[in-house]
Structures are given as C-alpha cells and as structure tokens.
Amino acid sequence: GSVLNMRPDLFCVALAGVPFVDIMNSMADASLPLTAGEWEEWGNPNEWKYFDYMLSYSPYDNVRPMPYPNILITAGLHDPRVAYWESAKWASKLRANNTDQKSQVLLKVDMDAGHFS
C-alpha cells in the first residue's frame, strides 16, 4: 500500500491481497489479535517516539489526490489478522482521491474466507 502512495506512476495495476493498510488505528488498539505482540517489531503508535514515523508510511493515512493505477483489493470476512474493514476503508478513500478517471479501485471480500482469501 505505501508504494502506491509514494510512486503510483510505477504501476499499471496493483493487486493488494488482504493488505494491512490502516496501521495507525490497528496498531494503537491492543485489544486486536496480534497487535501488542507486534509492538516490538513495528513500534507502538501510542508512544510519541514511534507515532510520527509510523504515520509517515501508513498506507491509509497517506492517500491523497493523485492518479492511482487500477487496483484490486481482496479481503476475507473472517480474517483474524487483518480485518475486512481495513480494505473497505482503504478502497473508499482511494476511490475518493483517485484523479485518474480511467482507472478503477475494486474490492472483493470473500464472505467465507479468513486470512489469505
């Protein structure tokens, strides 16, 4: 997700399979599975020394008006690792900010699957 915000011109199409894109909200919520255990690797956005750095590459938080390529985003309704609403929020924000009238942002949520749908 981050590279699409940094250099969307490098791609004609992107496939984002169950992307972890709402980093700030997910990593700040210790009640979500795996979150607190990942703080050692990612940092804890509830601590200021990590907040700005994590915000700088968070895919959802860095979507801005520009031409994005065609993007297919997939999610699983029963995914315990990356909740489906991350993909849905990201798709909505990308659609609202995509200035390329020819490209599409598609979202496919597998209603039976978990992670790696």
Side-chain angles (χ1 to χ4, degrees):
S2 292
V3 73
L4 290 172
N5 291 326
M6 291 184 237
R7 291 289 310 271
D9 58 300
L10 294 177
F11 308 94
C12 291
V13 65
L15 172 60
V18 293
F20 179 47
V21 291
D22 191 10
I23 293 171
M24 299 307 288
N25 284 315
S26 294
M27 291 300 292
D29 187 349
S31 71
L32 294 175
L34 306 175
T35 299
E38 297 289 328
W39 285 343
E40 185 175 331
E41 180 180 347
W42 289 76
N44 180 348
N46 296 308
E47 297 178 23
W48 282 110
K49 65 181 180 179
Y50 299 111
F51 183 88
D52 287 334
Y53 176 67
M54 293 174 75
L55 186 62
S56 75
Y57 66 81
S58 173
Y60 178 79
D61 295 296
N62 285 288
V63 171
R64 61 191 185 279
M66 66 179 156
Y68 285 94
N70 291 296
I71 304 170
L72 172 61
I73 304 166
T74 64
L77 183 64
H78 305 289
D79 188 340
R81 297 180 187 177
V82 181
Y84 71 89
W85 57 79
E86 285 199 31
S87 294
K89 284 174 54 175
W90 189 47
S92 178
K93 193 168 186 181
L94 284 167
R95 288 172 182 155
N97 283 277
N98 188 4
T99 61
D100 185 339
Q101 300 299 313
K102 295 180 286 182
S103 68
Q104 296 182 32
V105 176
L106 303 175
L107 173 64
K108 178 187 177 286
V109 178
D110 188 323
M111 304 305 274
D112 298 317
H115 203 59
F116 303 112
S117 61

